[in-house]
Amino acid sequence: MHIEWSTFWIQLIAFLILYVLLSKFAFGPLFGMMEKRRQLVKDQIQTAEASRKQADQLLEEQKQALQQMRKEAHDIIEQAKQTGSKQADDIVRAAGAEAARLKDEALKDIENEKNKAVAALRSQVGAMSVLIASKIIEKQIDEKSQEQLVEHYLKEVGGNV
């Protein structure tokens, strides 16, 4: 193979001129654009990493907040159960007190009615005694008649009570 030196030098000079022109007008902007693109990708990666870290942090905060809410809800439920139980006990206690009060009132009413009945019976016995005494005085009866009169009186009193 034979090299023609004149063509070689012309090609070399043309190559160097082309290289200088490309360096000045093409490689600078091309490398600048590639550097901008590399920086943009790097920034996006950093932003994505920061966003991921922030999302992880927010997720952890949300988990903690949810855990806190669950605990508060559980506490509220327990407090409601205790309050309900206390109210039920209070209602039962109040009902027991009311029943005791009503029972006491009923016993007092019964005692009053009994006293009234005894008083009425005494007044009737007194009236009957006066009646018996007047009948005894009106007629002198013997012992057998007096027993019959007392039995009759007791039957009358027994029927009225």
Side-chain angles (χ1 to χ4, degrees), residues 39-59:
Q39 188 63 36
L40 177 66
V41 169
K42 182 179 173 184
D43 289 345
Q44 287 177 342
I45 289 172
Q46 288 175 347
T47 303
E49 184 64 26
S51 295
R52 187 189 61 77
K53 285 181 182 178
Q54 187 178 13
D56 287 344
Q57 183 181 6
L58 288 173
L59 179 64

Side-chain angles (χ1 to χ4, degrees), residues 14-113:
F15 177 74
L16 288 175
I17 291 171
L18 183 62
Y19 181 76
V20 169
L21 287 174
L22 284 176
S23 296
K24 187 170 187 175
F25 296 111
F27 290 147
L30 182 63
F31 287 142
M33 204 181 307
M34 289 176 68
E35 180 60 28
K36 284 181 185 176
R37 178 69 179 154
R38 186 188 69 77
Q39 188 63 36
L40 177 66
V41 169
K42 182 179 173 184
D43 289 345
Q44 287 177 342
I45 289 172
Q46 288 175 347
T47 303
E49 184 64 26
S51 295
R52 187 189 61 77
K53 285 181 182 178
Q54 187 178 13
D56 287 344
Q57 183 181 6
L58 288 173
L59 179 64
E60 187 61 32
E61 288 174 5
Q62 290 298 321
K63 284 181 182 178
Q64 289 175 356
L66 182 61
Q67 186 72 15
Q68 182 66 27
M69 285 183 199
R70 284 182 180 160
K71 183 182 180 295
E72 288 175 5
H74 180 33
D75 291 345
I76 289 171
I77 290 170
E78 286 300 316
Q79 185 179 12
K81 284 181 183 177
Q82 290 174 354
T83 302
S85 176
K86 183 182 175 196
Q87 287 177 348
D89 291 344
D90 290 346
I91 289 170
V92 168
R93 193 172 18 261
E98 181 66 16
R101 184 187 66 80
L102 291 174
K103 179 182 172 189
D104 289 344
E105 283 182 13
L107 289 174
K108 285 179 185 177
D109 288 345
I110 290 171
E111 186 66 28
N112 287 338
E113 290 300 319

Side-chain angles (χ1 to χ4, degrees), residues 115-129 153 157 161:
N115 290 338
K116 286 179 186 176
V118 168
L121 185 62
R122 283 189 182 159
S123 69
Q124 285 180 356
V125 167
M128 291 284 200
S129 295
Y153 165 71
V157 170
V161 177

